[in-house]
């Protein structure tokens, strides 16, 4: 997990805290009558055999919503990607740690 100092520096650059100790950023550009959002999630605790990021794009027709609505939708999509990828395994590890702590009160 990034230290609190590192998180505050990244937040100042536009990165947002996401679940599972991750950080994400989303940027958009105009393409004709649409906005294309590029997003990137940093996964600082990824092990050596996996990439420490997840990235993607999302396309919106500009006439359907505001830029802020689109940003909210992109960040929600990023959270869903993290939940789909890590939710079950992180939850299982948390339960296992909790059960071990009940068995071993020291």
């Amino acid at each position: 997990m990034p230290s609190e100092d590192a998180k505050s520096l990244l937040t100042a650059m536009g990165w947002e805290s996401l679940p599972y100790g991750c950080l994400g950023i989303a940027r958009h550009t105009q393409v004709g009558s649409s906005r294309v959002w590029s997003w990137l999630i940093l996964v600082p605790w990824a092990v050596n055999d996996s990439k420490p990021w997840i990235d993607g794009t999302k396309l919106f027709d500009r006439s359907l919503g505001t830029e802020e609505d689109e940003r909210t939708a992109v960040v929600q999509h990023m959270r869903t990607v993290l939940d789909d990828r890590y939710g079950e395994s992180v939850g299982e590890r948390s339960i296992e740690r909790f059960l071990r702590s009940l068995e071993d009160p020291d």
Side-chain angles (χ1 to χ4, degrees), residues 19-70:
Y20 312 106
C22 298
L23 294 166
I25 194 164
R27 298 281 190 250
H28 69 84
T29 189
Q30 305 289 120
V31 177
S33 64
S34 302
R35 254 190 292 266
V36 177
W37 286 82
S38 300
W39 53 269
L40 176 68
I41 301 170
L42 294 180
V43 185
W45 47 266
V47 293
N48 292 338
D49 60 342
S50 66
K51 64 182 184 175
W53 73 89
I54 306 166
D55 59 348
T57 58
K58 204 155 177 59
L59 177 67
F60 292 94
D61 184 339
R62 285 191 298 171
S63 65
L64 297 179
T66 67
E67 183 179 322
E68 191 55 39
D69 291 341
E70 292 174 6

